[in-house]
Coordinates of all heavy atoms in Angstrom, one line a residue:
M10 N 90.2 56.1 99.2 CA 88.8 56.2 99.7 C 88.3 57.6 99.3 O 89.0 58.6 99.1 CB 88.8 56.1 101.2 CG 89.3 57.2 102.0 SD 89.2 57.0 103.7 CE 90.3 58.3 104.3
K11 N 87.0 57.6 99.1 CA 86.3 58.9 98.7 C 85.5 59.4 99.9 O 84.8 58.7 100.6 CB 85.4 58.6 97.5 CG 86.2 58.3 96.3 CD 85.2 58.0 95.1 CE 86.1 57.6 93.9 NZ 85.3 57.2 92.8
I12 N 85.7 60.7 100.1 CA 84.9 61.4 101.1 C 84.3 62.7 100.5 O 84.8 63.2 99.5 CB 85.7 61.8 102.4 CG1 86.8 62.8 102.0 CG2 86.3 60.6 103.0 CD1 87.4 63.6 103.2
N13 N 83.2 63.2 101.1 CA 82.6 64.4 100.6 C 83.0 65.5 101.6 O 82.9 65.3 102.8 CB 81.1 64.3 100.5 CG 80.7 63.3 99.5 OD1 81.3 63.4 98.4 ND2 79.8 62.5 99.7
V14 N 83.4 66.7 101.1 CA 83.7 67.8 101.9 C 82.7 68.9 101.6 O 82.6 69.3 100.4 CB 85.1 68.3 101.8 CG1 85.4 69.5 102.7 CG2 86.1 67.1 102.1
K15 N 82.0 69.4 102.6 CA 81.0 70.5 102.4 C 81.7 71.8 102.9 O 82.2 71.8 104.1 CB 79.7 70.2 103.1 CG 78.6 71.1 102.8 CD 77.3 70.7 103.5 CE 76.6 69.7 102.7 NZ 75.3 69.4 103.1
F16 N 81.7 72.8 102.1 CA 82.2 74.1 102.5 C 81.1 75.1 102.8 O 80.2 75.2 102.0 CB 83.1 74.6 101.4 CG 84.2 73.7 101.0 CD1 84.0 72.8 99.9 CD2 85.4 73.7 101.6 CE1 85.1 71.9 99.5 CE2 86.4 72.8 101.3 CZ 86.3 71.9 100.2
L17 N 81.2 75.8 103.9 CA 80.2 76.8 104.2 C 80.8 78.2 104.3 O 82.0 78.4 104.5 CB 79.6 76.5 105.6 CG 78.9 75.1 105.7 CD1 78.3 74.9 107.0 CD2 77.8 75.0 104.6
A18 N 79.9 79.2 104.0 CA 80.3 80.6 104.2 C 81.5 81.0 103.3 O 81.6 80.6 102.1 CB 80.4 81.0 105.6
S19 N 82.4 81.7 103.9 CA 83.6 82.3 103.1 C 84.5 81.2 102.6 O 85.1 81.3 101.5 CB 84.4 83.2 104.0 OG 84.9 82.6 105.1
I20 N 84.5 80.0 103.2 CA 85.3 78.9 102.8 C 84.8 78.4 101.5 O 85.5 78.0 100.6 CB 85.4 77.8 103.8 CG1 86.1 78.3 105.1 CG2 86.1 76.6 103.3 CD1 87.6 78.7 105.0
R21 N 83.5 78.4 101.3 CA 82.8 77.9 100.1 C 83.3 78.8 98.9 O 83.5 78.3 97.8 CB 81.3 78.0 100.2 CG 80.6 77.6 98.9 CD 79.1 77.6 99.1 NE 78.6 78.8 99.6 CZ 77.6 79.0 100.4 NH1 77.0 77.9 100.9 NH2 77.2 80.1 100.8
E22 N 83.4 80.1 99.1 CA 83.8 81.0 98.0 C 85.3 80.6 97.6 O 85.6 80.7 96.4 CB 83.7 82.4 98.5 CG 82.3 82.9 98.8 CD 82.2 84.2 99.4 OE1 83.2 85.0 99.4 OE2 81.2 84.5 100.0
I23 N 86.1 80.3 98.5 CA 87.5 80.0 98.2 C 87.5 78.7 97.5 O 88.3 78.5 96.5 CB 88.4 79.9 99.5 CG1 88.5 81.3 100.1 CG2 89.7 79.3 99.2 CD1 89.0 81.3 101.5
A24 N 86.8 77.7 97.9 CA 86.8 76.4 97.3 C 86.1 76.4 95.9 O 86.3 75.6 95.0 CB 86.1 75.3 98.2
G25 N 85.2 77.4 95.7 CA 84.5 77.5 94.5 C 83.3 76.5 94.3 O 82.8 76.3 93.2
A26 N 82.9 75.8 95.4 CA 81.8 74.9 95.3 C 81.3 74.7 96.8 O 82.0 74.9 97.7 CB 82.3 73.6 94.8
H27 N 80.0 74.3 96.8 CA 79.4 74.0 98.1 C 79.9 72.6 98.7 O 80.1 72.5 99.9 CB 77.9 74.0 97.9 CG 77.1 73.7 99.2 ND1 77.1 74.5 100.3 CD2 76.4 72.6 99.5 CE1 76.4 74.0 101.2 NE2 75.9 72.8 100.8
E28 N 80.1 71.7 97.8 CA 80.5 70.3 98.2 C 81.3 69.7 97.1 O 81.0 69.8 95.9 CB 79.3 69.5 98.5 CG 79.6 68.1 99.1 CD 78.4 67.4 99.6 OE1 77.3 68.0 99.9 OE2 78.4 66.2 99.7
I29 N 82.4 69.1 97.5 CA 83.3 68.4 96.6 C 83.7 67.0 97.1 O 83.9 66.9 98.3 CB 84.6 69.2 96.3 CG1 84.3 70.6 95.8 CG2 85.6 68.5 95.4 CD1 85.6 71.5 95.7
R30 N 83.7 66.0 96.2 CA 84.2 64.7 96.6 C 85.7 64.6 96.3 O 86.1 65.0 95.3 CB 83.4 63.7 95.8 CG 83.9 62.2 96.1 CD 83.0 61.2 95.5 NE 82.2 60.7 96.6 CZ 81.3 59.8 96.4 NH1 81.0 59.3 95.3 NH2 80.6 59.4 97.5
F31 N 86.4 64.1 97.3 CA 87.9 64.0 97.2 C 88.3 62.5 97.4 O 87.7 61.8 98.2 CB 88.6 64.9 98.2 CG 88.5 66.3 98.0 CD1 87.7 67.1 98.9 CD2 89.1 67.0 97.0 CE1 87.5 68.5 98.7 CE2 89.0 68.3 96.8 CZ 88.2 69.1 97.6
E32 N 89.4 62.2 96.8 CA 90.0 60.9 97.0 C 91.2 61.0 97.9 O 92.1 61.8 97.6 CB 90.5 60.3 95.6 CG 91.1 59.0 95.6 CD 90.1 57.8 95.6 OE1 89.0 58.0 95.0 OE2 90.4 56.8 96.2
L33 N 91.1 60.3 99.1 CA 92.2 60.4 100.0 C 92.7 59.0 100.3 O 92.1 58.0 99.8 CB 91.7 60.9 101.4 CG 91.1 62.4 101.4 CD1 90.6 62.7 102.8 CD2 92.2 63.4 100.9
N34 N 93.8 58.9 101.0 CA 94.4 57.6 101.3 C 93.7 57.0 102.5 O 93.3 57.7 103.4 CB 95.9 57.8 101.6 CG 96.7 58.3 100.5 OD1 96.5 57.8 99.3 ND2 97.5 59.2 100.7
S35 N 93.6 55.7 102.5 CA 93.0 55.0 103.6 C 93.8 55.3 104.9 O 95.0 55.4 104.8 CB 93.1 53.5 103.3 OG 92.5 52.8 104.4
G36 N 93.1 55.6 105.9 CA 93.8 55.9 107.2 C 94.0 57.4 107.4 O 94.5 57.8 108.4
D37 N 93.7 58.2 106.4 CA 94.0 59.7 106.5 C 93.0 60.2 107.6 O 92.0 59.7 107.9 CB 93.7 60.4 105.2 CG 94.9 60.4 104.3 OD1 96.0 59.9 104.7 OD2 94.8 61.0 103.2
T38 N 93.5 61.3 108.3 CA 92.8 61.9 109.4 C 92.3 63.3 108.9 O 92.6 63.8 107.8 CB 93.8 62.1 110.6 OG1 94.8 63.0 110.2 CG2 94.4 60.8 111.0
V39 N 91.6 63.9 109.8 CA 91.1 65.3 109.6 C 92.3 66.2 109.4 O 92.3 67.1 108.5 CB 90.2 65.8 110.7 CG1 89.9 67.3 110.6 CG2 88.9 65.0 110.8
K40 N 93.4 66.0 110.1 CA 94.6 66.8 110.0 C 95.2 66.6 108.6 O 95.6 67.6 107.9 CB 95.7 66.5 111.0 CG 96.9 67.3 111.0 CD 97.8 67.0 112.1 CE 98.9 68.0 112.2 NZ 100.1 67.7 111.5
D41 N 95.2 65.4 108.1 CA 95.7 65.1 106.7 C 94.8 65.8 105.7 O 95.3 66.3 104.7 CB 95.7 63.6 106.4 CG 96.7 62.8 107.3 OD1 97.8 63.4 107.6 OD2 96.3 61.7 107.7
L42 N 93.5 65.8 105.9 CA 92.6 66.5 105.0 C 92.9 68.0 105.0 O 92.9 68.5 103.9 CB 91.1 66.2 105.5 CG 90.1 67.0 104.7 CD1 90.0 66.7 103.2 CD2 88.7 66.9 105.3
L43 N 93.1 68.6 106.1 CA 93.4 70.0 106.1 C 94.6 70.3 105.3 O 94.7 71.2 104.5 CB 93.6 70.5 107.6 CG 94.0 72.0 107.7 CD1 93.0 72.9 107.1 CD2 94.3 72.3 109.1
E44 N 95.7 69.5 105.5 CA 96.9 69.7 104.7 C 96.6 69.5 103.2 O 97.2 70.3 102.4 CB 98.0 68.7 105.2 CG 98.5 69.1 106.6 CD 99.4 68.0 107.2 OE1 99.6 66.9 106.5 OE2 99.8 68.2 108.4
F45 N 95.8 68.5 102.8 CA 95.5 68.3 101.5 C 94.7 69.5 100.9 O 95.0 70.0 99.8 CB 94.6 67.1 101.3 CG 94.0 66.9 100.0 CD1 94.7 66.3 98.9 CD2 92.6 67.2 99.8 CE1 94.1 66.2 97.7 CE2 92.1 67.1 98.5 CZ 92.8 66.5 97.5
L46 N 93.8 70.1 101.6 CA 93.0 71.2 101.2 C 93.8 72.5 101.1 O 93.7 73.2 100.1 CB 91.8 71.5 102.1 CG 90.7 70.4 102.2 CD1 89.7 70.6 103.3 CD2 90.1 70.2 100.8
E47 N 94.8 72.6 102.0 CA 95.7 73.8 101.9 C 96.5 73.7 100.6 O 96.8 74.7 99.9 CB 96.6 73.8 103.1 CG 95.9 74.3 104.4 CD 96.7 74.2 105.6 OE1 97.8 73.5 105.6 OE2 96.3 74.8 106.6
S48 N 97.0 72.5 100.3 CA 97.8 72.3 99.0 C 96.9 72.5 97.8 O 97.3 73.0 96.8 CB 98.6 71.0 99.0 OG 97.7 69.9 98.9
R49 N 95.7 72.0 97.9 CA 94.8 72.1 96.7 C 94.3 73.5 96.4 O 94.2 74.0 95.3 CB 93.6 71.2 97.0 CG 92.4 71.3 96.1 CD 92.6 70.5 94.8 NE 91.5 70.7 93.9 CZ 90.6 69.7 93.6 NH1 90.7 68.5 94.1 NH2 89.7 70.0 92.7
F50 N 94.0 74.3 97.5 CA 93.4 75.6 97.3 C 94.3 76.8 97.6 O 93.9 77.9 97.5 CB 92.1 75.8 98.2 CG 91.0 74.8 97.7 CD1 90.6 73.8 98.6 CD2 90.4 74.9 96.5 CE1 89.6 72.9 98.2 CE2 89.4 74.0 96.1 CZ 89.0 73.0 97.0
G51 N 95.5 76.5 98.0 CA 96.5 77.5 98.1 C 96.5 78.4 99.4 O 95.8 78.2 100.3
M52 N 97.2 79.5 99.2 CA 97.4 80.5 100.3 C 96.1 81.1 100.8 O 95.9 81.3 102.0 CB 98.4 81.6 99.9 CG 98.8 82.5 101.0 SD 99.5 81.6 102.5 CE 101.0 81.1 101.8
E53 N 95.2 81.4 99.9 CA 93.9 82.0 100.4 C 93.2 81.1 101.4 O 92.7 81.5 102.4 CB 93.0 82.3 99.2 CG 91.8 83.1 99.6 CD 90.9 83.5 98.4 OE1 91.2 83.0 97.2 OE2 90.0 84.2 98.6
F54 N 93.1 79.8 101.0 CA 92.5 78.8 101.9 C 93.3 78.7 103.2 O 92.7 78.7 104.3 CB 92.4 77.4 101.3 CG 91.7 76.4 102.1 CD1 90.3 76.3 102.0 CD2 92.4 75.7 103.0 CE1 89.7 75.3 102.8 CE2 91.8 74.8 103.9 CZ 90.4 74.6 103.7
K55 N 94.6 78.7 103.1 CA 95.4 78.5 104.3 C 95.2 79.7 105.3 O 95.1 79.5 106.5 CB 96.9 78.4 103.9 CG 97.8 78.0 105.0 CD 99.2 77.6 104.5 CE 100.0 77.1 105.6 NZ 101.3 76.5 105.1
E56 N 95.2 80.9 104.7 CA 95.0 82.1 105.5 C 93.6 82.1 106.2 O 93.4 82.4 107.3 CB 95.2 83.4 104.7 CG 96.6 83.6 104.4 CD 96.8 84.8 103.4 OE1 95.8 85.4 103.0 OE2 98.0 85.0 103.1
A57 N 92.6 81.6 105.4 CA 91.2 81.6 105.9 C 91.1 80.5 107.0 O 90.3 80.7 108.0 CB 90.2 81.3 104.8
A58 N 91.8 79.4 106.9 CA 91.7 78.4 107.9 C 92.5 78.7 109.1 O 92.2 78.2 110.2 CB 92.2 77.1 107.2
G59 N 93.6 79.4 109.0 CA 94.5 79.7 110.1 C 95.1 78.4 110.6 O 95.4 77.5 109.8
K60 N 95.2 78.2 111.9 CA 95.7 77.0 112.5 C 94.6 76.4 113.5 O 94.7 76.6 114.7 CB 97.0 77.3 113.3 CG 98.1 77.8 112.4 CD 99.4 78.0 113.2 CE 100.5 78.5 112.4 NZ 100.9 77.6 111.3
P61 N 93.6 75.8 112.9 CA 92.5 75.4 113.7 C 92.7 74.4 114.8 O 91.9 74.3 115.7 CB 91.5 74.7 112.6 CG 92.5 74.3 111.5 CD 93.6 75.3 111.5
F62 N 93.9 73.7 114.8 CA 94.2 72.7 115.8 C 95.1 73.3 116.9 O 95.4 72.7 117.9 CB 94.8 71.5 115.2 CG 94.0 70.9 114.1 CD1 94.6 70.6 112.9 CD2 92.6 70.8 114.2 CE1 93.8 70.1 111.8 CE2 91.8 70.3 113.1 CZ 92.4 70.0 111.9
E63 N 95.5 74.6 116.7 CA 96.4 75.2 117.6 C 95.8 76.5 118.2 O 96.1 76.8 119.4 CB 97.7 75.6 116.9 CG 98.5 74.4 116.4 CD 99.7 74.7 115.5 OE1 100.2 75.8 115.7 OE2 100.0 73.9 114.7
D64 N 95.0 77.2 117.4 CA 94.5 78.5 117.9 C 93.4 78.3 119.0 O 92.6 77.4 118.9 CB 93.9 79.3 116.7 CG 94.9 79.7 115.7 OD1 96.1 79.8 116.0 OD2 94.4 80.0 114.5
E65 N 93.4 79.2 119.9 CA 92.4 79.2 121.0 C 91.0 79.5 120.4 O 90.1 78.9 120.9 CB 92.8 80.3 122.1 CG 91.9 80.2 123.3 CD 92.3 81.1 124.3 OE1 93.5 81.2 124.6 OE2 91.4 81.8 124.9
N66 N 91.0 80.4 119.5 CA 89.7 80.7 118.8 C 89.9 80.4 117.3 O 90.2 81.3 116.5 CB 89.3 82.1 119.0 CG 89.0 82.5 120.4 OD1 88.2 81.8 121.0 ND2 89.6 83.5 121.0
P67 N 89.7 79.1 116.9 CA 90.0 78.7 115.5 C 89.1 79.4 114.5 O 88.0 79.8 114.8 CB 89.7 77.2 115.5 CG 88.9 77.0 116.7 CD 89.2 78.0 117.7
K68 N 89.6 79.6 113.3 CA 88.9 80.3 112.2 C 87.9 79.4 111.5 O 87.0 79.8 110.9 CB 89.9 80.9 111.2 CG 90.7 82.0 111.7 CD 91.6 82.5 110.6 CE 92.5 83.7 111.0 NZ 93.3 84.1 109.9
I69 N 88.2 78.0 111.7 CA 87.3 77.0 111.1 C 87.1 75.9 112.1 O 87.9 75.7 112.9 CB 87.7 76.5 109.7 CG1 89.1 75.8 109.9 CG2 87.7 77.6 108.7 CD1 89.6 75.1 108.6
R70 N 86.0 75.2 111.9 CA 85.7 74.0 112.7 C 85.4 72.9 111.8 O 84.9 73.1 110.6 CB 84.4 74.2 113.6 CG 84.4 75.4 114.5 CD 85.1 75.4 115.8 NE 84.7 74.2 116.5 CZ 85.4 73.8 117.6 NH1 86.5 74.5 117.9 NH2 85.1 72.7 118.2
F71 N 85.6 71.6 112.2 CA 85.3 70.5 111.4 C 84.3 69.6 112.0 O 84.3 69.3 113.2 CB 86.6 69.6 111.3 CG 87.7 70.2 110.4 CD1 88.6 71.1 111.0 CD2 87.8 69.9 109.1 CE1 89.6 71.7 110.2 CE2 88.8 70.5 108.3 CZ 89.7 71.4 108.9
L72 N 83.3 69.2 111.2 CA 82.3 68.2 111.6 C 82.5 67.0 110.8 O 82.7 67.1 109.5 CB 80.9 68.7 111.5 CG 80.5 70.0 112.2 CD1 79.0 70.3 111.8 CD2 80.6 69.9 113.6
V73 N 82.5 65.8 111.4 CA 82.6 64.5 110.6 C 81.3 63.8 110.9 O 81.0 63.5 112.0 CB 83.8 63.7 111.0 CG1 83.8 62.4 110.3 CG2 85.1 64.4 110.7
N74 N 80.5 63.6 109.8 CA 79.2 63.0 109.9 C 78.3 63.6 111.0 O 77.7 62.9 111.7 CB 79.4 61.5 110.1 CG 80.1 60.8 109.0 OD1 80.0 61.2 107.8 ND2 81.0 59.9 109.3
G75 N 78.4 65.0 111.0 CA 77.5 65.7 111.9 C 78.1 65.9 113.3 O 77.4 66.5 114.2
R76 N 79.3 65.4 113.6 CA 79.8 65.5 115.0 C 81.1 66.3 114.9 O 82.0 66.1 114.1 CB 80.2 64.1 115.5 CG 78.9 63.2 115.7 CD 79.1 62.0 116.6 NE 79.5 62.4 117.9 CZ 80.2 61.6 118.7 NH1 80.5 60.4 118.3 NH2 80.5 62.0 119.9
D77 N 81.2 67.3 115.9 CA 82.3 68.1 116.0 C 83.5 67.2 116.4 O 83.4 66.3 117.3 CB 82.1 69.1 117.1 CG 83.2 70.2 117.2 OD1 84.4 69.8 117.2 OD2 82.8 71.4 117.2
I78 N 84.7 67.4 115.7 CA 85.8 66.5 116.0 C 86.3 66.7 117.4 O 87.0 65.8 117.9 CB 87.0 66.8 115.0 CG1 87.5 68.2 115.1 CG2 86.5 66.4 113.5 CD1 88.9 68.3 114.3
D79 N 86.0 67.7 118.1 CA 86.3 67.9 119.5 C 85.7 66.7 120.3 O 86.2 66.4 121.4 CB 85.9 69.2 120.1 CG 86.8 70.4 119.6 OD1 87.8 70.1 118.9 OD2 86.4 71.5 119.8
F80 N 84.6 66.2 119.9 CA 84.0 65.1 120.6 C 84.3 63.7 120.0 O 83.8 62.7 120.4 CB 82.5 65.3 120.6 CG 82.1 66.5 121.3 CD1 81.7 67.7 120.5 CD2 82.1 66.6 122.6 CE1 81.4 68.8 121.1 CE2 81.7 67.8 123.3 CZ 81.4 68.9 122.5
L81 N 85.3 63.7 119.0 CA 85.8 62.5 118.5 C 87.3 62.4 118.9 O 87.5 62.5 120.1 CB 85.6 62.5 116.9 CG 84.1 62.6 116.5 CD1 84.1 62.9 115.0 CD2 83.4 61.3 116.8
Q82 N 88.2 62.3 118.0 CA 89.6 62.2 118.3 C 90.3 63.5 117.8 O 91.5 63.4 117.5 CB 90.3 61.0 117.7 CG 90.0 59.7 118.5 CD 88.6 59.1 118.1 OE1 88.2 59.0 117.0 NE2 87.8 58.7 119.1
G83 N 89.6 64.6 117.8 CA 90.3 65.8 117.4 C 90.8 65.7 116.0 O 90.3 65.0 115.1
P84 N 92.0 66.4 115.7 CA 92.6 66.3 114.4 C 93.0 64.9 114.0 O 93.2 64.7 112.8 CB 93.8 67.3 114.5 CG 94.0 67.6 115.9 CD 92.7 67.3 116.6
G85 N 93.1 64.0 114.9 CA 93.5 62.7 114.6 C 92.4 61.8 114.3 O 92.5 60.6 114.1
T86 N 91.2 62.4 114.1 CA 90.0 61.6 113.8 C 90.2 61.0 112.4 O 90.4 61.7 111.4 CB 88.7 62.5 113.7 OG1 88.5 63.1 115.1 CG2 87.5 61.7 113.3
E87 N 90.2 59.6 112.4 CA 90.4 58.9 111.1 C 89.1 59.0 110.2 O 88.0 58.8 110.7 CB 90.8 57.5 111.4 CG 91.3 56.8 110.2 CD 91.9 55.4 110.5 OE1 92.7 55.3 111.5 OE2 91.6 54.4 109.8
L88 N 89.4 59.3 109.0 CA 88.2 59.4 108.0 C 88.0 58.0 107.4 O 89.0 57.2 107.2 CB 88.5 60.4 107.0 CG 88.7 61.8 107.6 CD1 89.2 62.8 106.5 CD2 87.4 62.3 108.2
K89 N 86.8 57.7 107.0 CA 86.4 56.5 106.4 C 85.7 56.7 105.0 O 85.1 57.8 104.9 CB 85.5 55.7 107.3 CG 86.2 55.3 108.6 CD 85.3 54.5 109.5 CE 84.3 55.3 110.2 NZ 84.6 56.5 110.9
E90 N 85.7 55.8 104.2 CA 85.0 55.8 102.9 C 83.6 56.4 103.1 O 82.8 55.9 104.0 CB 84.9 54.4 102.3 CG 84.1 54.4 101.0 CD 84.9 54.9 99.8 OE1 86.1 54.9 99.8 OE2 84.2 55.4 98.8
G91 N 83.2 57.4 102.3 CA 81.8 57.9 102.4 C 81.6 58.9 103.5 O 80.4 59.4 103.5
D92 N 82.6 59.3 104.3 CA 82.3 60.3 105.3 C 82.0 61.6 104.7 O 82.4 61.9 103.6 CB 83.6 60.4 106.2 CG 83.7 59.4 107.3 OD1 82.8 58.6 107.5 OD2 84.8 59.4 107.9
L93 N 81.2 62.4 105.5 CA 80.9 63.8 105.1 C 81.6 64.7 106.1 O 81.3 64.6 107.3 CB 79.4 64.0 105.1 CG 79.0 65.5 104.9 CD1 79.4 66.0 103.6 CD2 77.5 65.7 105.1
V94 N 82.5 65.5 105.6 CA 83.2 66.4 106.5 C 82.7 67.8 106.1 O 82.6 68.2 105.0 CB 84.7 66.4 106.2 CG1 85.4 67.4 107.1 CG2 85.3 65.0 106.5
V95 N 82.2 68.6 107.1 CA 81.7 69.9 106.9 C 82.7 70.9 107.6 O 83.1 70.7 108.7 CB 80.3 70.1 107.6 CG1 79.8 71.5 107.4 CG2 79.3 69.1 107.0
I96 N 83.1 71.9 106.8 CA 84.1 72.9 107.3 C 83.3 74.2 107.5 O 82.7 74.7 106.6 CB 85.2 73.1 106.3 CG1 86.0 71.8 106.1 CG2 86.2 74.2 106.9 CD1 87.1 71.8 105.1
I97 N 83.3 74.6 108.8 CA 82.4 75.8 109.2 C 83.3 76.9 109.8 O 84.0 76.7 110.8 CB 81.4 75.4 110.3 CG1 80.6 74.2 109.8 CG2 80.6 76.5 110.7 CD1 79.8 73.6 110.9
P98 N 83.3 78.1 109.1 CA 83.9 79.2 109.8 C 82.9 79.7 110.9 O 81.7 79.5 110.8 CB 84.0 80.3 108.7 CG 83.6 79.6 107.4 CD 82.9 78.4 107.8
P99 N 83.5 80.2 112.0 CA 82.6 80.6 113.1 C 81.7 81.8 112.6 O 82.1 82.5 111.8 CB 83.6 81.1 114.2 CG 84.9 81.3 113.5 CD 84.9 80.5 112.3
V100 N 80.5 81.8 113.2 CA 79.5 82.8 112.9 C 79.3 83.7 114.1 O 79.0 83.2 115.2 CB 78.2 82.2 112.4 CG1 77.2 83.2 112.1 CG2 78.5 81.3 111.2
G101 N 79.4 85.0 113.9 CA 79.2 85.9 115.0 C 77.8 86.4 114.9 O 77.1 86.4 113.8
G102 N 77.3 86.9 116.0 CA 75.9 87.5 115.9 C 75.6 88.2 117.2 O 76.4 88.2 118.2
G103 N 74.5 88.7 117.3 CA 74.1 89.3 118.6 C 72.6 89.5 118.7 O 71.8 89.0 118.0

């Protein structure tokens, strides 16, 4: 299945593109996608991502079709053909 992944802020610099279409296996989850991206983009991506499903203050967040995965099935959210996954590093401000 094909999904689109949109990278924002510093993650976009690591990926080298704003949006990339990837071919994944049917039934893959957001957790599977993270593992795929870590293998595709290497240590720099892995360090930038941290452990988003374990850390109290994750370095990145995932949106699937505009919804935060915390309001879906978390890292077990199953992806479907044509989904748009947005990866967002937290933004600080004041």
Side-chain angles (χ1 to χ4, degrees):
M10 73 177 164
K11 293 179 182 173
I12 65 160
N13 293 317
V14 179
K15 189 177 278 191
F16 303 94
L17 301 180
S19 59
I20 297 295
R21 177 178 54 217
E22 294 171 19
I23 295 167
H27 179 66
E28 189 171 336
I29 302 175
R30 176 172 258 182
F31 292 107
E32 181 83 30
L33 298 178
N34 297 316
S35 180
D37 275 358
T38 64
V39 172
K40 185 174 189 273
D41 296 322
L42 172 63
L43 175 62
E44 292 169 0
F45 170 80
L46 294 172
E47 287 174 344
S48 69
R49 169 85 183 247
F50 297 114
M52 188 55 70
E53 187 178 8
F54 182 91
K55 191 170 186 168
E56 288 173 0
K60 297 186 181 295
F62 310 130
E63 299 171 25
D64 293 341
E65 186 174 316
N66 295 308
K68 294 181 177 182
I69 59 171
R70 309 276 311 165
F71 290 86
L72 303 179
V73 176
N74 299 323
R76 296 195 61 205
D77 190 310
I78 64 167
D79 287 350
F80 299 103
L81 299 169
Q82 283 80 44
T86 300
E87 192 170 313
L88 299 170
K89 297 178 286 311
E90 176 77 27
D92 278 351
L93 172 62
V94 178
V95 180
I96 300 176
I97 306 171
V100 178

